[in-house]
Amino acid sequence: DAQKMGDNRLAWLYYQEAARLAPGYYPAVYNMGDIMSKEGAIQQALPYLERAASLYPTVQTHLLNEAAFDAILLACWLEQTDRASDLVNQYVPLNRHYKMRRARAEVLLITGYLEQAKQDLDAVISHESSYGSAMWLRGLVAWKQSKQDEAAQWQERAISESDLFTASYETHC
């Protein structure tokens, strides 16, 4: 497998051919977007992830639609809040996996709905108590609510899961 060997370019080409032969094949379209995202081509990855999200079987309500989840987060990171909100409205009602609430929480946080974001993040953390990014975002909610001590506690919990969460809340407000 080209991807396992570290040849993302070749893997992308294989997935492209698979998607050409079977345009409705979710894994091929998703992996094309995922590879682009991992290679740093976030803007280019987003349409592939959106397409893959639309191909995800709607009967799979309790399994994570990774393409929708990733597309929501990429739209947030690209500061395309309206696009992220549209994706949330389109896919969160169809997919009950708890991580979709984490994605929605990020959109709610960005758009200033702090209490709703807090509720989603609390639900996510109650489901997976070691979910570092949810804990870090929960701290960001507290920070934005001027609860710096509470924010520091959430950040400490997040950092205990990964050093990636040492980023200052001051730079994310």
Side-chain angles (χ1 to χ4, degrees):
D1 176 53
Q3 204 167 4
K4 287 181 184 173
M5 294 182 339
D7 191 342
N8 284 339
R9 182 183 173 282
L10 182 60
W12 194 90
L13 292 170
Y14 283 144
Y15 289 126
Q16 181 185 40
E17 180 63 9
R20 186 187 69 75
L21 294 171
Y25 186 51
Y26 169 87
V29 180
Y30 171 72
N31 282 307
M32 289 169 67
D34 187 51
I35 288 170
M36 291 180 116
S37 174
K38 287 177 180 169
E39 292 293 322
I42 295 171
Q43 183 73 41
Q44 294 84 353
L46 189 52
Y48 288 98
L49 294 171
E50 289 173 318
R51 171 80 177 119
S54 73
L55 297 172
Y56 192 80
T58 56
V59 297
Q60 299 292 348
T61 59
H62 294 287
L63 298 175
L64 179 62
N65 180 342
E66 292 180 70
F69 178 81
D70 291 352
I72 292 166
L73 296 184
L74 288 185
C76 288
W77 297 337
L78 291 167
E79 298 179 356
Q80 296 179 11
T81 309
D82 290 341
R83 193 173 190 176
S85 294
D86 289 345
L87 290 165
V88 162
N89 292 333
Q90 186 173 2
Y91 294 109
V92 171
L94 300 174
N95 196 258
R96 295 186 192 110
H97 193 279
Y98 70 96
K99 287 186 177 182
M100 293 300 280
R101 290 186 78 174
R102 180 261 187 250
R104 179 173 63 191
E106 190 152 344
V107 175
L108 291 167
L109 212 158
I110 290 169
T111 56
Y113 293 96
L114 300 181
E115 280 304 312
Q116 293 92 328
K118 178 183 172 211
Q119 289 171 8
D120 272 352
L121 291 167
D122 286 345
V124 169
I125 293 165
S126 73
H127 193 276
E128 185 181 332
S129 62
S130 62
Y131 196 175
S133 65
M135 288 185 274
W136 191 89
L137 289 170
R138 182 61 182 79
L140 183 57
V141 169
W143 181 268
K144 287 184 173 228
Q145 293 174 324
S146 299
K147 299 175 184 175
Q148 278 67 30
D149 291 341
E150 182 182 335
Q153 291 171 353
W154 281 110
Q155 187 169 29
E156 285 175 28
R157 284 183 63 188
I159 291 169
S160 73
E161 298 301 325
S162 172
D163 289 338
L164 293 173
F165 302 112
T166 58
S168 170
Y169 291 132
E170 291 174 343
T171 62
H172 288 80
C173 287

